[in-house]
Amino acid sequence: QVQLVESGGGLVQAGGSLRLSCAASARPSSTYTMGWFRQAPGKEREFVARTSVNGITYADSVKGRFTISRDNAKNTVYLQMNSLKVEDTAVYYCRASPYGDFLRGRGGSWGQGTQVTVSS
């Protein structure tokens, strides 16, 4: 199973930017969906963004502020986060799975998570 390692989290002021990276230990199938979820304290894990052969989709809460991209040559997916808000504070998890399993959270691989904290 592919191992995923996130990096790029940290502390930033509201309105600032961060770029998260997720490196895969091996090249996921080209048909795999890769993307990001997040989990804030006391809340359930929620979908943020994904990229697949079917295109790119975002959660409504991040549309226009976050951009997901994928570099297949580097087995890496990125999440550029701009105009960050306090409510974006969460642990961000990278995920790779077959398309149909991605939002269900079953199968595939998860990263260990990286903390993003946005201060007011």
Side-chain angles (χ1 to χ4, degrees):
Q1 197 168 18
V2 173
Q3 305 296 315
L4 303 173
V5 179
E6 303 101 332
S7 61
L11 174 64
V12 65
Q13 286 191 324
S17 298
L18 282 174
R19 187 194 195 204
L20 304 183
S21 300
C22 171
S25 59
R27 182 171 183 174
S29 167
S30 60
T31 63
Y32 260 39
T33 296
M34 294 190 73
W36 298 88
F37 284 73
R38 67 186 181 186
Q39 187 167 18
K43 296 187 177 182
E44 293 188 353
R45 191 173 297 188
E46 65 176 3
F47 164 73
V48 175
R50 64 178 172 179
T51 177
S52 73
V53 294
N54 298 310
I56 290 175
T57 55
Y58 297 96
D60 288 343
S61 59
V62 306
K63 279 182 183 177
R65 300 187 298 121
F66 290 12
T67 302
I68 189 171
S69 60
R70 183 171 177 173
D71 186 337
N72 287 328
K74 296 182 178 180
N75 299 334
T76 300
V77 65
Y78 304 95
L79 186 68
Q80 178 66 43
M81 305 185 294
N82 298 329
S83 302
L84 282 161
K85 304 176 181 180
V86 172
E87 52 263 42
D88 293 319
T89 295
V91 177
Y92 284 70
Y93 295 92
C94 180
R95 173 160 171 73
S97 80
Y99 181 82
D101 294 335
F102 189 85
L103 293 181
R104 295 186 180 97
R106 69 185 185 194
S109 300
W110 290 91
Q112 82 288 351
T114 185
Q115 177 70 46
V116 172
T117 302
V118 185
S119 63
S120 59

